[in-house]
Amino acid sequence: MAVVRALVRYPIIAATLVVLAAVAIIASSGGEQQARWIASAYVGMFIAWTLVRMVRDVLRGHVGLDVLAVVAMVATLAVGEYLASLIIVLMLSGGEALEDFAARRATRDLTALLDRSPRTAHVVAPLPPERITDVPVDEVAVGDILLVRPSEIVPVDGELLGETGTFDESSLTGESMPVVHSRGEEVFSGAVNGSEAVRIRARRPSSESQYQQIVALVQQAQASRAPVVRLADRFAIPFTAVSLSLAGAAWTISGDPARFAEVLVLATPCPLLIAAPVAFLGGLSRAAKAGVIVKGGGIIERLARARSACFDKTGTLTAGRPELVDVRPADGFDRRELLTLAASAEQYSTHVLADGVRRLAAAEGITLRPAEAATEIATNGVTALIDGTPVAVGKPAFIASRAPALTRTPLVSGHAAAYVAVGDRFAGALVLADAVRPESAAVVDWLRRNGVERVTMLTGDAEATATAIASQVGITEVHAELLPPEKVHLAAGMRPRPTMMVGDGVNDAPVLAASDIGVAMGARGATAAGDAADVVVVVDSLAKVVEAVAISRHTLRVALTAIWIGIALSVGLMLVATTGVIPAVAGALIQEGVDLATILYALRALRGPVPVIGAAAPEITRPRSATPDRAPGAPA
């Protein structure tokens, strides 16, 4: 049955096998001339179809490698080797089947992510009698109450309504142990519920939920065309020229036109057309399994060749979950009033530093006040009209423009400050601390020891804060107090190239888009940064950046090796064929063996070494299945 299904899926293979069998039977029965005419007519139609495809490729700017196959088919027909011409047709059409098989094998982890994407949600009717309705996940509205049954996938991001819930978040965070959430905490789509049914209130529509964003990135990666088109173009013309030259020389020296066909049937383009693309698909799939979405094979090639690396600070080198460690009110304000006003304004900020202010307010039981209007000013802070009074939280210069009496608060190394103005009065300062990620220093060290010649920090933070963090992670080149356009300018001018920029947050989107390789730490759903980036790390670990580089380098090595194996075998066999010891039919069959060998080698991209972060040596082991003045409303 499997054979029948394969023949139905690939009708050209089925038709070629039928024609080949018919021609062999007719020829063995004495109908040599009829067999030749049947084979010539069928191969001629295939040549015409191939030429149409070649012209389309050329119009798209890609050299048609099938020119070798076309010349080989014409040559074998011209010298009467019609069985060899049919085998070439079978080889080319069979290459499509081999490519499909290898591509499915290479993209299995990407496909697995898509297959487990939630498609329906159980919506609980708001009014009694209680009624549960199954709706497509795209129709879930913010505020809907959803029932998630045991072992089901959470369909959209939501707030847990029960006392507790246990969830498997390994597909989102890489954490293998179940995570327990309490009432009011956020549960992300894509998490798998535990053994008890829970209810959640939808916080975001499907299109904006965590897992669907990952799925969208995966679909984008799947749809992209691997750079092996360009990679193949680099080899296509020289390989074609060498093959035709060898075939022509064999004909000239021997005086036998059949020798031309015998040589040319061994000029296989499959390592370029199939094996190398399969290697890149394998690299994309392997990266996805590791929690890194790479948006296409072209990015893998650039990432493998990266020679400079730039890092944002907040949420990238640091954990991105700053804690509010001190509230310092100015004269005329008390601590609770200052925290209430600041947190009420910061609820309209998207930056991670604002989250620390809101968390402390929640912990102290403060009820946030609604704003009549609110605006976030990128890199500066946030303003909100609360109870008719303007409240601003942000950088000292931003607040000083509203409250000239601002006084900077003294800080210790590693702390940052946001300042608050109420109306035109300076209300005080908020002191925050954001810890360095434990893996940051090891990541910087690995990159330096593995070919990345220049590592820098690009941040909007104050010079002293940036320098303090940089010294902890081993970065000596620091560019601080940058606005987004300045980050873009510095990243664009970085040498040597290609340059990799690693960042987190909405205001990193411009520099991520402008870099040769933009890497977004997207585990917490930084949508704008993820959209602009070439690589999105969906597991909350900076070590995944190193893993992405290592996977990319291994993938590029496998792709290039597959190409060279195919070329070396083809050229070697063509040289042997110039002596006349390999008949055309045997050469066509041998060529299929070369194709299979290179494709199987390309699948090695699915496996490979994983770097050991923090190890003393840069070797790779086998796989394992300053004075801060920082505004929470102003991203680093």
Side-chain angles (χ1 to χ4, degrees), residues 317-319 435-443 613:
L317 293 170
T318 64
V436 172
R437 288 180 184 269
E439 71 273 19
S440 292
V443 167
I613 301 301

Side-chain angles (χ1 to χ4, degrees), residues 489-558:
H489 176 73
L490 284 168
M494 194 67 60
R495 296 292 185 275
R497 305 192 81 90
T499 299
M500 173 177 67
M501 175 69 202
V502 187
D504 171 60
V506 173
N507 286 324
D508 288 325
V511 66
L512 292 175
S515 302
D516 296 325
I517 313 114
V519 181
M521 301 295 293
R524 298 195 184 101
T527 307
D531 289 345
D534 303 302
V535 179
V536 182
V537 178
V538 297
V539 176
D540 194 18
S541 171
L542 193 63
K544 292 297 178 180
V545 173
V546 164
E547 200 163 339
V549 172
I551 289 172
S552 297
R553 290 178 178 180
H554 176 69
T555 300
L556 184 59
R557 282 195 299 270
V558 169

Side-chain angles (χ1 to χ4, degrees), residues 448-511:
R448 288 190 191 280
R449 291 187 288 111
N450 286 271
V452 177
E453 302 170 28
R454 187 176 179 186
V455 181
T456 67
M457 178 192 288
L458 305 180
T459 179
D461 236 348
E463 183 77 35
T465 302
T467 302
I469 297 298
S471 65
Q472 294 181 52
V473 301
I475 294 178
T476 56
E477 182 180 350
V478 178
H479 300 273
E481 302 183 19
L482 301 174
L483 296 175
E486 295 171 322
K487 280 189 180 183
V488 170
H489 176 73
L490 284 168
M494 194 67 60
R495 296 292 185 275
R497 305 192 81 90
T499 299
M500 173 177 67
M501 175 69 202
V502 187
D504 171 60
V506 173
N507 286 324
D508 288 325
V511 66

Side-chain angles (χ1 to χ4, degrees), residues 113 116 168-175 190-192 211 214 538-539:
L113 280 170
R116 71 184 299 279
D168 175 3
E169 298 182 347
S170 57
S171 63
L172 299 170
T173 65
E175 172 57 58
V192 179
Y211 194 78
I214 295 174
V538 297
V539 176

Side-chain angles (χ1 to χ4, degrees), residues 151-212:
S151 301
E152 284 190 337
I153 297 173
V154 177
V156 297
D157 295 352
E159 173 189 346
L160 184 64
L161 298 179
E163 289 300 322
T164 60
T166 303
F167 300 89
D168 175 3
E169 298 182 347
S170 57
S171 63
L172 299 170
T173 65
E175 172 57 58
S176 58
M177 297 298 293
V179 177
V180 178
H181 288 291
S182 302
R183 182 190 298 274
E185 291 186 348
E186 184 165 20
V187 180
F188 289 115
S189 66
V192 179
N193 187 25
S195 58
E196 296 184 7
V198 298
R199 298 191 181 202
I200 64 171
R201 178 181 288 109
R203 282 189 173 180
R204 298 180 189 88
S206 169
S207 60
E208 297 177 13
S209 291
Q210 180 83 343
Y211 194 78
Q212 281 80 358

Side-chain angles (χ1 to χ4, degrees), residues 191-359:
V192 179
N193 187 25
S195 58
E196 296 184 7
V198 298
R199 298 191 181 202
I200 64 171
R201 178 181 288 109
R203 282 189 173 180
R204 298 180 189 88
S206 169
S207 60
E208 297 177 13
S209 291
Q210 180 83 343
Y211 194 78
Q212 281 80 358
Q213 291 183 33
I214 295 174
V215 167
L217 293 171
V218 169
Q219 290 172 330
Q220 184 177 347
Q222 274 196 319
S224 67
R225 188 155 187 171
V228 287
V229 173
R230 297 197 309 273
L231 210 57
D233 287 350
R234 299 173 201 164
F235 292 90
I237 294 176
F239 181 65
T240 301
V242 168
S243 301
L244 292 174
S245 298
L246 286 174
W251 182 3
T252 302
I253 294 170
S254 67
D256 183 2
R259 196 66 53 82
F260 180 87
E262 291 169 356
V263 172
L264 211 56
V265 294
L266 287 158
T268 171
C270 269
L272 303 182
L273 294 175
I274 300 176
V278 163
F280 277 82
L281 287 173
L284 293 174
S285 183
R286 186 177 165 215
K289 186 177 182 180
V292 182
I293 307 301
V294 183
K295 298 180 182 178
I299 311 303
I300 283 185
E301 185 176 359
R302 292 205 298 272
L303 194 58
R305 303 182 190 278
R307 291 295 174 266
S308 297
C310 306
F311 289 88
D312 178 43
K313 182 182 75 66
T314 304
T316 304
L317 293 170
T318 64
R321 288 187 63 83
E323 299 295 331
L324 183 54
V325 296
D326 196 9
V327 180
R328 301 175 182 175
D331 292 342
F333 293 88
D334 64 35
R335 180 187 179 283
R336 189 172 181 85
E337 180 186 11
L338 175 61
L339 181 56
T340 300
L341 291 173
S344 298
E346 289 288 34
Q347 66 183 316
Y348 302 100
S349 173
T350 59
H351 192 257
V352 291
L353 290 178
D355 199 37
V357 180
R358 296 193 295 263
R359 282 200 306 273

